[in-house]
Amino acid sequence: MSTCDIKIWRTWALAITHEAGAYTEQKFNAEKTGGEPVIPSPNLDTDLVMACDRLADVLIKAYKNPIKIQIDIARYSKLISPKNTGHNEEKEEKLLERCPPGHEGTKVVDKPATIIDVSGTIIAWYLPDALTETTQGGTDLLGPSLEKSVKADGNWRYNQEWFKQGSENVGQLRMHQFISGMVSTGPRDPEVSASLKGPSSENILKAIARPAAIASAALRVMHPQQYFAGLRALSHLGDKAVSKELPQMPETLQYWASVFNSLSIISNRETPNHRDHLSIPECFDILTTVGNYSNARMSMPSLQLEFRIVRHGVDGGEGDRIAWAWYMRDSVHIYAGVPSCGWAMVEGHILSTV
């Protein structure tokens, strides 16, 4: 798919993200093939270059450590109803019997790795210790919003029973930077999320720019087609924001530094096993965790895998932990006229530099 129609304004934070992604991909390919050293763009500051170098190194280690399982992820995804939340254990047991991963018991993964299905589709990348210290900031301004998000009851994502009490910051803040929906009369114009309409929105977006850039750079290596689909969606959205005079959209796009169109920030919360049914099956979500904690684990019972830090859950650890969940909503891509990107494959996708 051509990238000639992707227009990124030089004043957008996403322009720096795009250069960081290109450098990370080139660095990854050079280390993979034994190529010449890569010189970073002068537009990238030293801290960002070091963060990209760390990321490329961990990506290489994961690429060289494939874990193969016997599931066909495309067929598996077709067996799951869009409304299946993953909470019904009886249904999940039957699904596991029908689509076993091919190994006995739970396999613990504690080194960088890729999870590969029988068709050569990459299901997941596990990248421990991929973030530098300078990439782990950006949440100081979010404390009040996180605290307000916790409820006494209701949805488990906000229910106080799942949060670690006594910590300075607890809660979940969703930055659906673009909220779009399909209605009977046609697609509704997207809106900037409420969490980014306040007086601190510009400072918040600037504070999360570095984590946004690194998550996007990782995606450029892990799933280039998804990366460029996200980039193209934001490019087209920028044009529509100006032509249709969408409120606050042009200003927000200027500081939004991620190719993902949504972000959830979760502080000190355990999660039950669940399935994020609004995510695009062929696309990666990226979950990063930061903080002073130990003994936290992420489990994927559908694959019988457990990661030391698809259907997943997080067990509570010792200390304070903040998770950043980056993801894409297909409704935004539909609105922008961007086609589906397909699955990430081992063959042919890693070296597809554009």
Side-chain angles (χ1 to χ4, degrees), residues 3-289:
T3 60
C4 297
D5 61 333
I6 299 179
K7 178 176 65 179
I8 304 295
W9 296 100
R10 292 184 179 180
T11 56
W12 282 11
L14 197 57
I16 294 297
T17 293
H18 191 43
E19 293 195 42
Y23 172 67
T24 302
E25 182 187 45
Q26 293 162 10
K27 181 87 172 179
F28 175 89
N29 288 336
E31 293 186 14
K32 179 176 178 287
T33 62
E36 296 294 323
V38 179
I39 299 176
S41 164
N43 295 326
L44 305 180
D45 63 56
T46 301
D47 286 340
L48 186 52
V49 170
M50 293 177 65
C52 292
D53 288 343
R54 168 83 70 85
L55 174 62
D57 180 61
V58 180
L59 283 163
I60 278 289
K61 291 177 180 177
Y63 179 72
K64 292 181 178 180
N65 182 31
I67 297 175
K68 298 181 180 180
I69 61 177
Q70 296 305 306
I71 285 178
D72 183 324
I73 195 63
R75 290 180 177 175
Y76 178 88
S77 66
K78 292 177 181 179
L79 297 175
I80 301 170
S81 165
K83 296 182 179 180
N84 187 332
T85 62
H87 294 158
N88 189 317
E89 293 297 337
E90 183 178 348
K91 287 184 178 180
E92 295 303 322
E93 286 293 332
K94 291 180 179 179
L95 187 60
L96 184 61
E97 291 176 3
R98 187 171 181 179
C99 302
H103 55 264
E104 295 295 330
T106 299
K107 182 189 292 288
V108 177
V109 184
D110 57 7
K111 296 179 181 179
T114 50
I115 313 302
I116 315 292
D117 83 344
V118 293
S119 69
T121 299
I122 303 178
I123 299 175
W125 293 69
Y126 175 54
L127 308 172
D129 200 29
L131 302 180
T132 60
E133 287 190 15
T134 59
T135 315
Q136 298 184 33
T139 55
D140 294 346
L141 296 173
L142 305 177
S145 297
L146 286 167
E147 186 176 355
K148 290 178 183 178
S149 71
V150 179
K151 310 296 181 183
D153 52 20
N155 189 303
W156 64 265
R157 297 178 186 274
Y158 304 98
N159 192 311
Q160 64 184 6
E161 292 184 3
W162 290 96
F163 290 94
K164 178 182 177 182
Q165 302 305 313
S167 297
E168 182 177 352
N169 288 321
V170 295
Q172 170 164 324
L173 178 63
R174 290 197 171 192
M175 295 185 183
H176 293 286
Q177 206 264 336
F178 313 111
I179 300 178
S180 177
M182 301 298 291
V183 295
S184 58
T185 56
R188 188 178 73 218
D189 287 330
E191 302 174 8
V192 174
S193 121
S195 58
L196 293 176
K197 289 182 178 178
S200 300
S201 60
E202 181 179 329
N203 289 333
I204 290 174
L205 289 171
K206 288 179 178 179
I208 68 174
R210 196 175 300 277
I214 290 302
S216 300
L219 184 67
R220 179 149 178 176
V221 173
M222 298 189 300
H223 197 337
Q225 292 83 1
Q226 181 186 347
Y227 172 91
F228 283 104
L231 200 66
R232 179 175 285 102
L234 297 181
S235 171
H236 291 187
L237 190 59
D239 291 338
K240 287 178 181 267
V242 174
S243 65
K244 302 185 77 170
E245 299 182 347
L246 301 180
Q248 293 187 263
M249 188 67 74
E251 297 84 357
T252 305
L253 275 170
Q254 182 176 355
Y255 298 108
W256 184 260
S258 175
V259 298
F260 293 91
N261 54 54
S262 295
L263 165 66
S264 289
I265 299 177
I266 308 120
S267 180
N268 290 311
R269 188 193 70 192
E270 294 184 53
T271 68
N273 292 327
H274 64 281
R275 187 173 287 109
D276 296 315
H277 61 282
L278 291 179
S279 294
I280 306 170
E282 299 87 351
C283 289
F284 287 130
D285 298 341
I286 290 185
L287 180 69
T288 62
T289 59

Side-chain angles (χ1 to χ4, degrees), residues 297-319:
R297 305 183 307 277
M298 178 175 180
S299 63
M300 288 186 173
S302 300
L303 306 179
Q304 291 186 311
L305 295 174
E306 182 176 283
F307 300 93
R308 302 294 184 190
I309 304 199
V310 179
R311 180 173 177 251
H312 54 274
V314 177
D315 291 337
E318 300 171 7

